[in-house]
Amino acid sequence: MKSNIMKEAGVYLQARKRLAELKRVQNILEARSQNYPQGKIHLITRGGRVMYYLRSSASDRTGVYISVRDEKKIKTYLQKSYDEKSLRLIRQEIRALEKLLQTGALIPEQIQNLYLKFPERARKFVMASDLPDEVLVHNWLETPYEGKSISDLKSDFITEQGEHVRSKSELNIANALYRRKIPYKYECPLTLRSGTIYPDFTILNVRKRTVLYWEHRGMMDDHDYARNAVRRLKDYQQNQIYPGEQLIITEETSVSPLGTGEINAMIREYCL
């Protein structure tokens, strides 16, 4: 059975990130508001000219004129006005996001577990819209594929999963993914408009419910290799697969090898 992978229980993942960022900004604005002076600035526009008046209280309907030369005072009160309005909207959005997460965040898990409520023998008749993580990973890894032949290898690089790969850097990438329990396939075929290619690694981001491709370009100081690498990148982009989104690219030359720090950074950024 094939699963229609739902892209991210995405709204909730993004909502949590957005909520955390809003609360961070809220704290900054609330701390800054403690230092603002009393009063409120009022702007009047006449004939294309902006005039500034400082009102000392809500009952003050006129205010004291501030000369445009007093930029420091104008800046202080305008920033205060902006921060107060911004803070009101931020608090409003925080309440909305908290309500969304409180009432809806458990639903994606319920959808995933719905499949398991069917008897095991009946599941083959069900096209699930989403699956529990362990079922999703199992089905994805168990889908057979025929990779490229690697009988021409001069060196024998064997991963911790027992796979043969083509270079030390690919070995390091494969092992780093394996140690973090990130599902991947080595040189799994991908059909593009230009034909079938074999990305170095096809990766399942379980949390985001997305498939990524990792191309390691290991001989970028070789002219022909670099030219082919550019052509490959264009093929990806013509199929709406872009670097920084579904495509991870790492590179090295004979004098600038791929480091484990770079590999781990890419994994943290895109695969977890």
Side-chain angles (χ1 to χ4, degrees), residues 18 25 40 50 56 61 104 142 149-150 161 169 175 178 181 194 237 239 244 249 264:
R18 175 69 175 171
V25 175
K40 179 178 179 181
V50 180
S56 58
R61 309 305 299 170
E142 289 300 309
S149 171
I150 55 174
Q161 284 199 115
S169 290
N175 288 341
Y178 177 71
K181 297 181 171 28
S194 57
Q237 293 179 146
N239 288 265
I249 293 178
N264 291 330

Side-chain angles (χ1 to χ4, degrees), residues 32-65:
R32 196 156 68 194
S33 68
Q34 302 301 315
N35 300 317
Y36 282 131
Q38 293 294 319
K40 179 178 179 181
I41 199 165
H42 178 65
L43 280 64
I44 297 177
T45 302
R46 290 178 182 165
R49 180 186 173 196
V50 180
M51 293 180 286
Y52 306 91
Y53 291 86
L54 177 60
R55 293 179 174 179
S56 58
S57 65
S59 60
D60 184 355
R61 309 305 299 170
T62 55
V64 177
Y65 175 72

Side-chain angles (χ1 to χ4, degrees), residues 74-247:
I74 291 173
K75 180 178 180 180
T76 297
Y77 280 99
L78 284 178
Q79 190 64 53
K80 177 186 178 184
S81 177
Y82 176 86
D83 286 354
E84 288 174 344
K85 293 174 182 177
S86 181
L87 195 52
R88 284 196 296 272
L89 291 173
I90 286 172
R91 287 169 176 160
Q92 182 180 339
E93 186 176 358
I94 285 174
R95 289 193 296 271
L97 288 173
E98 288 177 336
K99 183 177 181 180
L100 170 68
L101 292 171
Q102 181 180 5
T103 59
L106 295 178
I107 294 176
E109 184 177 352
Q110 294 171 357
I111 294 172
Q112 292 168 10
N113 290 329
L114 184 62
Y115 175 76
L116 297 179
K117 294 183 179 180
F118 286 85
E120 186 172 353
R121 291 185 178 181
R123 292 172 193 166
K124 64 181 180 180
F125 300 109
V126 177
M127 180 69 75
S129 58
D130 201 4
L131 296 168
D133 290 353
E134 63 276 11
V135 178
L136 174 68
V137 171
H138 176 269
N139 289 357
W140 190 78
L141 289 175
E142 289 300 309
T143 302
Y145 70 96
E146 186 174 345
K148 290 172 65 177
S149 171
I150 55 174
S151 60
D152 59 340
L153 282 178
K154 296 179 181 179
S155 298
D156 200 14
F157 297 100
I158 304 176
T159 71
E160 293 178 13
Q161 284 199 115
E163 302 164 307
H164 292 260
V165 295
R166 299 178 184 275
S167 70
K168 182 178 179 181
S169 290
E170 288 186 348
L171 178 71
N172 291 337
I173 293 170
N175 288 341
L177 292 169
Y178 177 71
R179 290 166 191 160
R180 289 165 177 78
K181 297 181 171 28
I182 297 170
Y184 74 87
K185 298 177 181 180
Y186 181 68
E187 292 189 344
C188 179
L190 172 65
T191 301
L192 303 178
R193 294 176 185 174
S194 57
T196 299
I197 65 171
Y198 296 83
D200 295 328
F201 297 92
T202 302
I203 299 166
L204 177 62
N205 186 315
V206 178
R207 183 174 66 89
K208 293 185 177 181
R209 296 299 201 261
T210 53
V211 173
L212 311 172
Y213 305 99
W214 189 327
E215 291 280 12
H216 177 62
R217 313 199 303 191
M219 298 187 296
M220 290 302 287
D221 44 3
D222 180 278
H223 177 73
D224 290 337
Y225 181 95
R227 182 176 58 190
N228 290 332
V230 171
R231 186 185 303 117
R232 172 70 67 90
L233 176 58
K234 291 183 181 295
D235 287 341
Y236 275 114
Q237 293 179 146
Q238 287 170 2
N239 288 265
Q240 289 77 54
I241 300 173
Y242 300 105
E245 295 178 5
Q246 273 188 279
L247 180 60

